[in-house]
Amino acid sequence: MTYIEEVFQKLERENSNEKEFLQAAKEILFSLQPVIDKHPEYQKAGLLERFVEPERIITFRVPWVDDNGKVQVNKGYRVQFNSAIGPYKGGLRFHPTVNLSILKFLGLEQILKNSLTTLPIGGGKGGSNFDPKGKSDAEVMRFCQSFMTELCRHIGQDVDVPAGDIGVGGREIGYLFGQYKRLRDEFTAGVLTGKALTYGGSLGRKEATGYGLLFFTKEMLIHNGRSIEGNIAVVSGSGNVAIYATEMATQMGIKVVAMSDSNGYIYDENGVNLDVIKDIKEVKRGRIKEYVEKVPTAKYYEGCKGIWTIKCDIAFPCATQNEIDEESAEILVKNGCFAVCEGANMPSTLEAIEVYRKNKILFAPAKAANAGGVATSALEMTQNSLRLSWSREEVIEKLHEIMIAIHKNCADACARYGIAYDLVFGANIAGFEKVADAMMAQGIV
Ligand code: NDP
């Protein structure tokens, strides 16, 4: 049995009920064989065993009072996974499906993603099974205040720096920051990212994950002799990542014909009108089906999976994990899709990735393609430390350079190990090398 097989078997035994975590770990571990072959000393140092085990997991109770005066209780978590190259950094997710398996998969991916950004940030993730949907502003605020009352003792600008993720946007970050400031009696802007511009946020952060995804996609297409302009795309989700991916895609000359939320999807053959989507989702916090009231020529369909049956050249899954399974991947291929670029974290199942490989689909994996969000969070931290703000153009230009560098590092990693261009291997190897070096240098900790 190889070292990697041994490590994965142990992980399976010890975490048998954590299916998403095991899925992410399997993909990562089994692409690291070339690195392990080159560095036999990693086995003696137990490097992989340490890499897949979080440094610390904090779980806590989050009690809050709803608008009817009833006490509600949710679970709160922070997974501080790896601090080899910098303070823990990663978003908070508020969604009823949140559990340790999901946060551990996200945290593990985050370690490599953060390493790929070229910036000094470690990996972490957190959240709660709280569902902000249907809650009043006052309820969301009381929940955030209770959540931060516990979390505040575990984070800090040089310790652990949370940000947003599903269900945590500008509003939630504001409430969390306000409570942190009150409890600590200090204004430390760098303790959270994704802040509003008035209190230490960065221009360009809101757009960063979606824009970065398109910058990365463009690099991948150029590398493979294709043009980005003139393609038809499907974007799943209609949250932060999906909206700004659609915005930049449209600017680059792509026609986005479909978007979704967790209830269903819209198809607009003329190209989605993003102003209408922004009004429904960002301003009114409504449902995507309201789009057809504003654009009657578009169609609405119940259910999420059907979005992958729409004919497109490029698919941008930007909603959630495992949203493209083997069957959806086969349909995409049959309909002529030539590229899948992940805005969401782990939106493709392992079986779907195999379908892409077999059919030579260009595949941009999440940890590389959506790293623009956390990269710009790190730029926000830098601006906070410098106590100044860069212009939007400066931030977007830096983001663009970072995404070009990430693509190049992934492609170069394949070339260095004699592997054909495959960004799953490239991203895992390039991200891992730096973390592994730092862990070896710091001894057995
Ligand atoms: P948002 O909460 O802003 O939006 C999430 C979108 O996905 C919504 O349209 C939501 O629909 C939909 N969605 C959520 N859960 C499901 C589900 N189970 N099935 C179908 N649709 C679903 O989150 P983000 O846009 O920030 O995040 C989207 C993805 O991108 C996540 O995987 C996240 O981890 C990843 N990501 C986010 C980054 C960021 O900077 N925000 C950075 C890197 C990755 P509904 O409104 O109905 O809930």
Side-chain angles (χ1 to χ4, degrees):
M1 199 188 299
T2 66
Y3 174 40
I4 288 175
E5 283 166 348
E6 243 174 62
V7 171
F8 187 67
Q9 277 199 5
K10 178 166 177 278
L11 205 66
E12 274 189 310
R13 265 200 318 276
E14 293 177 353
N15 304 275
S16 56
N17 57 346
E18 296 184 352
K19 127 174 131 38
E20 292 85 0
F21 174 55
L22 291 173
Q23 179 185 338
K26 188 173 185 181
E27 187 225 84
I28 293 169
L29 285 173
F30 285 96
S31 49
L32 297 178
Q33 192 61 53
V35 187
I36 298 301
D37 290 344
K38 192 172 158 203
H39 292 281
E41 71 276 16
Y42 285 178
Q43 183 164 5
K44 185 156 179 251
L47 191 90
L48 289 179
E49 293 90 325
R50 287 190 281 139
F51 175 71
V52 294
E53 191 65 39
E55 289 176 18
R56 185 178 303 105
I57 298 179
I58 300 139
T59 67
F60 50 95
R61 177 173 73 195
V62 190
W64 56 282
V65 183
D66 69 19
D67 285 347
N68 298 319
K70 187 170 182 312
V71 174
Q72 303 284 346
V73 180
N74 285 98
K75 289 178 186 296
Y77 307 90
R78 187 71 185 163
V79 178
Q80 298 182 328
F81 218 124
N82 191 302
S83 61
I85 63 172
Y88 311 107
K89 177 95 196 86
L92 296 171
R93 177 176 291 192
F94 292 170
H95 194 271
T97 56
V98 163
N99 57 35
L100 259 190
S101 172
I102 289 180
L103 296 179
K104 282 172 67 183
F105 115 63
L106 289 164
L108 184 63
E109 287 274 303
Q110 195 82 44
I111 303 168
L112 299 183
K113 181 188 312 197
N114 292 3
S115 165
L116 284 171
T117 65
T118 68
L119 302 166
I121 38 179
K125 200 82 193 187
S128 171
N129 61 354
F130 173 74
D131 187 359
K133 230 178 278 162
K135 303 288 190 301
S136 69
D137 268 357
E139 288 177 320
V140 171
M141 182 176 73
R142 287 195 293 273
F143 173 81
C144 288
Q145 290 179 339
S146 180
F147 186 86
M148 183 51 87
T149 300
E150 175 62 33
L151 188 69
C152 77
R153 62 191 97 192
H154 308 291
I155 61 175
Q157 64 174 354
D158 298 317
V159 181
D160 183 354
V161 183
D165 190 74
I166 292 179
V168 179
R171 173 181 62 169
E172 290 74 17
I173 292 292
Y175 295 149
L176 292 164
F177 186 77
Q179 183 72 351
Y180 182 86
K181 187 166 64 82
R182 178 161 72 163
L183 292 167
R184 287 299 172 98
D185 199 18
E186 62 182 33
F187 191 105
T188 314
V191 72
L192 287 171
T193 59
K195 300 180 292 296
L197 298 176
T198 45
Y199 65 94
S202 173
L203 286 159
R205 171 61 187 94
K206 188 172 67 170
E207 301 91 330
T209 309
Y211 280 21
L213 172 64
L214 267 294
F215 294 150
F216 188 92
T217 300
K218 189 174 173 188
E219 289 309 297
M220 179 177 81
L221 262 52
I222 292 171
H223 187 94
N224 289 279
R226 286 193 178 253
S227 158
I228 190 125
E229 208 184 331
N231 290 301
I232 306 278
V234 164
V235 175
S236 66
S238 48
N240 174 267
V241 180
I243 286 177
Y244 292 96
T246 301
E247 184 164 285
M248 183 47 73
T250 309
Q251 280 179 32
M252 287 182 172
I254 294 176
K255 182 156 90 171
V256 175
V257 294
M259 293 183 79
S260 61
D261 64 19
S262 55
N263 294 114
Y265 64 97
I266 52 126
Y267 172 64
D268 186 341
E269 64 176 347
N270 300 318
V272 166
N273 181 331
L274 200 58
D275 290 337
V276 174
I277 296 278
K278 280 185 180 175
D279 184 56
I280 296 169
K281 294 307 250 186
E282 290 190 333
V283 181
K284 303 197 174 106
R285 294 182 188 273
R287 309 305 302 158
I288 199 140
K289 69 173 170 209
E290 293 161 35
Y291 184 86
V292 294
E293 291 162 18
K294 300 271 165 35
V295 186
T297 48
K299 291 191 175 62
Y300 174 74
Y301 301 89
E302 281 291 330
C304 306
K305 220 181 140 182
I307 197 169
W308 308 119
T309 63
I310 296 173
K311 191 170 163 44
C312 66
D313 302 308
I314 309 178
F316 291 103
C318 294
T320 195
Q321 64 274 356
N322 291 331
E323 52 173 312
I324 304 185
D325 58 11
E326 185 175 12
E327 189 191 358
S328 297
E330 298 275 13
I331 296 172
L332 281 170
V333 172
K334 198 172 91 217
N335 284 340
C337 170
F338 72 82
V340 177
C341 308
E342 297 186 327
N345 283 310
M346 203 169 77
S348 307
T349 64
L350 292 173
E351 294 76 22
I353 295 172
E354 268 319 300
V355 174
Y356 308 153
R357 278 212 176 100
K358 260 192 237 139
N359 292 280
K360 305 209 165 4
I361 299 293
L362 294 175
F363 177 50
K367 67 173 71 69
N370 74 20
V374 72
T376 309
S377 276
L379 299 179
E380 182 176 333
M381 290 162 72
T382 306
Q383 292 168 79
N384 294 152
S385 296
L386 295 170
R387 294 181 189 276
L388 51 77
S389 303
W390 294 327
S391 69
R392 186 172 185 279
E393 291 67 36
E394 250 177 303
V395 176
I396 303 285
E397 196 186 315
K398 285 187 168 63
L399 166 68
H400 197 168
E401 283 165 9
I402 289 170
M403 298 314 295
I404 292 173
I406 294 176
H407 177 267
K408 184 173 182 311
N409 289 345
C410 295
D412 287 354
C414 292
R416 242 181 308 117
Y417 285 94
I419 303 166
Y421 181 84
D422 179 322
L423 295 173
V424 173
F425 281 98
N428 286 331
I429 290 175
F432 179 74
E433 281 184 326
K434 182 168 157 194
V435 177
D437 265 6
M439 287 176 74
M440 289 299 282
Q442 291 167 24
I444 308 302
V445 290

